[in-house]
Amino acid sequence: MDYTVTVATGTAEYSGTNNYIYITLVGERGSSKRTVLDNPGLDFCRGAVDQYTVRASASLGQLLLVRLEKQRYLIEDNWFCRYVTVEPPEGGEALNFPCYRWLVGDVKVELREGTAKRQQEDTLAHLLTHRNAELKERQKIYRWQAWAPGIPKCIDAKSEADLPQDARFDNEKRSDFEGSLHYALLELSLKKLAIKFGRSWSDLDDFRRIFWKLKSPIAEYTMNHWREDWFFGYQFLNGSNPRMIKQIQEIPPNFHVTGDMVQAFLKPQTTLEKELKAGNIYLVDHDILDEVPTNVIKNQQQHIAAPLCLLYEHPEHNLIPIAIQLEQKPQKHTPIFLPNDPPLAWLLAKIWVRHAEFQIFQVLSHLLRTHLVVEVFCVATLRQLPAVHPLYKLLTPHLRYTLEINSRARTQLISADGIFRRVVSTGGDGLLVLAQREYKVLTYRSLQPPYDFEDRGVTKLRGYYYRDHSLMLWDSIKNYVTGMVFLYYPTDSDVIEDSELQAWIKDVTEEGFVNVPQFGLSGELKNKQELVTLLSVVIFTSTAQHAATNNGQFDWCAWVPNTPCTMRSPPPQDKDAITMGLIMDSLPDISQSCVELAITWHLGRRQPDAIPIGQYVEEYFTEPKAKELISAFQKDLKTIDENIREQNDGVELPYLYLCPSNIENSITI
């Protein structure tokens, strides 16, 4: 009996192969002949969809597996298979067997038909054996590792080269990633050379001399408005670190600001006490930075402050800073910086706050709370969920490239000789201490946007576009996930009885998030709603939350005085002694500024191969109902995108980081 088989090769560079490819169809009544797939001409070219005939002596009955084998011919030539379809001789609908993986070396791969199934839905011993064998093999390949104590565990890989091919960048992505970094560093090296042979680095306007070619409209806007108090306040709401601001009802005892000090900056006929009670006073507290070890760069000690910044939601001027203290343990003469201080004193105080923001958004909001958190779910998914599992199909597109970009971060960015060590004040021991402190207080609740905004008391804060867009995306993601969970888990008992799912959450909590006392995620899933929330957190964090912290970093950091990566002089103690010379001696030097500009451009730019949120290039789900849910999700995201763009039409300072078309489907950079 003749089966018509279609085999699709990947579309990325080097996906094709000239090696031998064999196929065997495995059914409930037996197997077909092992058949070499060889048509006249070239087979398995990049992007090809080839058709073949596979013969069996009798009907195989229900098809269970498609077995693919690759054998070397002359030289090793890896092959990426997208999918296989099989048309049975009896007629009827063709069966789809998703693959989406590399075949490396002389290897054998067995594919399940695309219908998603939980373990308890598989009754045939052959299929149960297959899914168990798949997990055992994956658990050998994907192992946990503690890269450092006191932070989430990660993939066991010394570098990206140790990762299996399925976890690596495609060749185009790899070439672009490495090429763009070299391009940016080369351009900035030329700028540095030109400046060194020119006049001295002595005034804030000198930063304009590295501000050409690598720039953006918002970066230019920042350059022109960074000194203005409203713009300083705006960045706490819609900059790269929009999760720190919180409403307060009383001034912290270690913040020595009084009502008389700030009276001139409040609206008429009010007091600080009244505004606190009215809910119009906000605080950004960088206490986590207190006494963090500081870097030494080129034999020069760098410096860190742990500021407290008091902000006021003014009825006319929106959110504005009204007091800054640069120490957590103030002494009798510790200054409180105010907007009516000498202009350079107030400016330098704000620069110190923005410097603290750089450390926290890069190490905590970005690296720890998106990259490292998502890596835990990525490793657990690969170890505990077989490819046929509905949650593997749901999560895998949102985990694409995360292992490689995180491995590169550990070797190139935050390693002992990485970029942070070269130019960032928390580089070296400081960034690990900072991450360990945050990890101790990290909570699952804080990863859920509705609770995060509620707990910080910012649900009514005006102009908080990050909040508004986050909640729209959270609702959309949660609706999509709810549909998928209710499709594959009709009852709460189905959740409880899914042993692979329970092994997954156990791996997440007991291995990935080990020794995090306040995290608050149970090691057992008891109902559908718990599962919906958790999956929504994973997808939201790997898409929208990452975009909010990553995509704007060049916009806010390219004008280096607005968000300096390091400070070369200690925090000021005397307001009247602050000069432009002191400010320039504090800010990053030419070399550090050039590297900050280059690295934030490299990491924050739009990726050429970006897949927007909700666009599923690899079709893991084959069932019509699942595809309908995906289509509804995509339609909802399109509506959100149109609404956000309409709101920003003609706006001088637009907030577009959370437009779905600007959000990647996974953490790839």
Side-chain angles (χ1 to χ4, degrees):
M1 303 192 74
D2 291 349
Y3 290 79
T4 301
V5 173
T6 302
V7 181
T9 296
T11 57
E13 195 173 26
Y14 304 127
S15 291
T17 186
N18 64 1
N19 284 185
Y20 292 116
I21 303 296
Y22 297 88
I23 193 169
T24 305
L25 306 181
V26 180
E28 59 182 345
R29 299 178 192 162
S31 302
S32 71
K33 295 178 180 178
R34 179 175 181 264
T35 304
V36 63
L37 300 180
D38 187 17
N39 285 333
L42 294 175
D43 298 282
F44 312 112
C45 296
R46 174 184 177 182
V49 179
D50 301 306
Q51 195 169 84
Y52 305 91
T53 298
V54 176
R55 291 186 169 86
S57 57
S59 173
L60 301 176
Q62 177 189 352
L63 280 184
L64 306 179
L65 301 169
V66 167
R67 182 180 302 134
L68 293 173
E69 298 175 66
K70 186 178 79 66
Q71 286 189 358
R72 175 176 172 172
Y73 172 69
L74 297 180
I75 60 171
E76 173 56 38
D77 193 10
N78 300 341
W79 177 49
F80 187 87
C81 176
R82 286 186 287 156
Y83 61 83
V84 176
T85 62
V86 181
E87 298 176 26
E90 305 90 9
E93 191 173 345
L95 300 175
N96 193 338
F97 293 77
C99 183
Y100 302 112
R101 69 182 80 170
W102 286 94
L103 278 70
V104 179
D106 291 347
V107 68
K108 181 190 301 181
V109 170
E110 291 185 335
L111 309 177
R112 286 283 300 266
E113 191 272 323
T115 303
K117 288 190 176 182
R118 294 174 282 113
Q119 185 180 42
Q120 54 264 52
E121 294 175 301
D122 271 339
T123 56
L124 296 175
H126 198 109
L127 295 180
L128 288 168
T129 299
H130 174 265
R131 67 193 298 152
N132 290 335
E134 180 185 1
L135 290 180
K136 284 183 179 179
E137 180 63 23
R138 289 231 223 103
Q139 287 164 10
K140 292 178 184 176
I141 298 171
Y142 299 98
R143 303 171 304 277
W144 290 108
Q145 172 188 251
W147 183 73
I151 61 173
K153 283 188 180 179
C154 61
I155 188 68
D156 184 4
K158 293 180 181 178
S159 74
E160 68 276 6
D162 292 336
L163 296 171
Q165 187 68 35
D166 287 326
R168 298 295 310 276
F169 290 168
D170 284 343
N171 189 69
E172 295 100 325
K173 167 76 172 178
R174 185 179 306 114
S175 298
D176 174 77
F177 181 89
E178 295 170 353
S180 68
L181 179 58
H182 293 155
Y183 165 78
L185 291 173
L186 175 61
E187 181 184 332
L188 272 298
S189 295
L190 294 174
K191 292 179 183 180
K192 180 172 67 175
L193 189 64
I195 293 167
K196 282 187 174 180
F197 280 96
R199 59 190 179 87
S200 64
W201 188 259
S202 59
D203 188 84
L204 289 170
D205 281 344
D206 289 343
F207 284 94
R208 293 176 184 267
R209 292 152 63 197
I210 63 170
F211 200 70
W212 40 269
K213 198 166 183 179
L214 292 186
K215 56 186 177 181
S216 71
I218 292 181
E220 292 187 77
Y221 189 95
T222 299
M223 178 181 67
N224 294 324
H225 296 275
W226 71 287
R227 295 176 187 242
E228 298 168 26
D229 285 354
W230 74 267
F231 185 75
F232 178 84
Y234 175 91
Q235 291 180 82
F236 290 118
L237 304 179
N238 304 307
S240 285
N241 192 36
R243 66 170 192 89
M244 293 287 289
I245 187 167
K246 61 182 180 181
Q247 185 188 70
I248 58 171
Q249 273 69 52
E250 58 183 21
I251 302 297
N254 66 326
F255 196 175
H256 292 178
V257 63
T258 66
D260 290 341
M261 289 180 181
V262 300
Q263 185 64 47
F265 320 120
L266 307 178
K267 69 181 182 181
Q269 283 83 52
T270 191
T271 64
L272 178 60
E273 185 177 352
K274 288 180 180 179
E275 294 303 309
L276 284 164
K277 290 180 179 178
N280 295 326
I281 302 297
Y282 295 85
L283 178 70
V284 176
D285 189 349
H286 301 93
D287 60 331
I288 198 166
L289 285 167
D290 192 33
E291 298 183 358
V292 165
T294 53
N295 199 1
V296 176
I297 301 174
K298 295 179 182 178
N299 298 318
Q300 182 181 5
Q301 185 70 53
Q302 307 298 293
H303 299 273
I304 294 173
L308 297 102
C309 181
L310 198 67
L311 299 119
Y312 172 50
E313 188 177 23
H314 195 286
E316 296 177 7
H317 308 303
N318 294 323
L319 189 71
I320 56 171
I322 57 174
I324 293 171
Q325 178 180 292
L326 298 180
E327 298 177 30
Q328 290 289 321
K329 304 179 183 70
Q331 305 301 313
K332 183 178 180 180
H333 300 294
T334 296
I336 302 293
F337 293 88
L338 304 168
N340 57 3
D341 283 339
L344 291 183
W346 180 236
L347 180 64
L348 183 55
K350 290 192 293 182
I351 289 173
W352 272 103
V353 173
R354 294 298 304 162
H355 166 256
E357 286 285 290
F358 183 96
Q359 314 307 316
I360 289 178
F361 105 72
Q362 287 287 18
V363 180
L364 306 184
S365 302
H366 184 197
L367 177 65
L368 177 64
R369 294 176 68 94
T370 63
H371 282 258
L372 300 188
V373 164
V374 170
E375 184 170 2
V376 168
F377 292 99
C378 184
V379 175
T381 298
L382 290 164
R383 287 173 51 83
Q384 303 299 343
L385 300 179
V388 74
H389 197 285
L391 300 189
Y392 179 90
K393 293 172 180 282
L394 178 70
L395 291 177
T396 291
H398 300 289
L399 306 175
R400 172 178 178 256
Y401 290 164
T402 299
L403 294 184
E404 170 143 359
I405 195 61
N406 284 8
S407 295
R408 285 179 177 269
R410 284 186 283 270
T411 57
Q412 299 171 18
L413 194 66
I414 61 174
S415 59
D417 57 351
I419 290 173
F420 267 51
R421 188 60 189 259
R422 290 167 51 192
V423 299
V424 178
S425 56
T426 52
D429 295 339
L431 70 88
L432 182 56
V433 170
L434 192 55
Q436 289 168 334
R437 288 182 180 181
E438 177 75 3
Y439 186 58
K440 284 181 181 178
V441 297
L442 179 66
T443 65
Y444 175 51
R445 181 181 174 92
S446 71
L447 300 176
Q448 302 172 53
Y451 290 139
D452 175 45
F453 299 126
E454 178 186 327
D455 293 346
R456 291 191 286 118
V458 293
T459 57
K460 297 180 180 179
L461 188 53
R462 299 194 312 273
Y464 203 178
Y465 308 122
Y466 159 74
R467 175 201 61 208
D468 299 340
H469 299 174
S470 291
L471 291 174
M472 286 193 288
L473 289 160
W474 171 260
D475 288 344
S476 182
I477 290 168
K478 197 169 184 182
N479 286 339
Y480 166 58
V481 171
T482 298
M484 284 294 190
V485 168
F486 279 59
L487 176 61
Y488 292 106
Y489 293 87
T491 69
D492 290 340
S493 296
D494 293 322
V495 172
I496 296 169
E497 294 167 6
D498 187 345
S499 58
E500 291 168 341
L501 173 62
Q502 298 299 339
W504 175 77
I505 188 60
K506 186 176 181 181
D507 219 18
V508 165
T509 56
E510 295 186 8
E511 287 287 349
F513 293 123
V514 66
N515 296 329
V516 53
Q518 300 183 42
F519 192 56
L521 176 62
S522 172
E524 180 182 2
L525 290 163
K526 302 179 183 68
N527 56 60
K528 292 188 291 184
Q529 198 52 57
E530 287 182 356
L531 180 56
V532 165
T533 299
L534 179 55
L535 296 173
S536 300
V537 165
V538 177
I539 295 176
F540 179 85
T541 305
S542 63
T543 56
Q545 191 59 53
H546 179 257
T549 57
N550 177 79
N551 293 3
Q553 59 178 299
F554 179 73
D555 290 339
W556 309 114
C557 299
W559 180 248
V560 173
N562 182 62
T563 319
C565 59
T566 192
M567 295 292 269
R568 296 178 294 133
S569 296
Q573 296 295 321
D574 182 355
K575 297 181 185 183
D576 296 323
I578 295 172
T579 63
M580 181 56 69
L582 176 60
I583 291 177
M584 293 304 294
D585 287 343
S586 300
L587 287 168
D589 63 20
I590 299 171
S591 176
Q592 294 162 344
S593 298
C594 286
V595 174
E596 176 178 344
L597 190 61
I599 198 65
T600 55
W601 174 81
H602 172 62
L603 297 177
R605 71 192 179 95
R606 184 177 179 86
Q607 300 300 295
D609 66 340
I611 299 173
I613 180 175
Q615 303 304 308
Y616 298 103
V617 177
E618 297 178 343
E619 297 185 7
Y620 289 94
F621 286 106
T622 61
E623 304 93 307
K625 288 184 178 180
K627 289 184 175 182
E628 288 173 10
L629 291 169
I630 290 172
S631 295
F633 182 39
Q634 292 169 339
K635 184 177 179 180
D636 194 29
L637 291 171
K638 184 179 180 183
T639 300
I640 292 172
D641 197 280
E642 291 170 350
N643 289 341
I644 291 175
R645 292 190 181 279
E646 184 178 346
Q647 292 168 12
N648 284 274
D649 187 33
V651 174
E652 189 176 17
L653 182 58
Y655 185 78
L656 298 172
Y657 304 121
L658 293 184
C659 274
S661 56
N662 291 336
I663 299 172
E664 281 207 67
N665 212 28
S666 60
I667 296 175
T668 72
I669 190 65

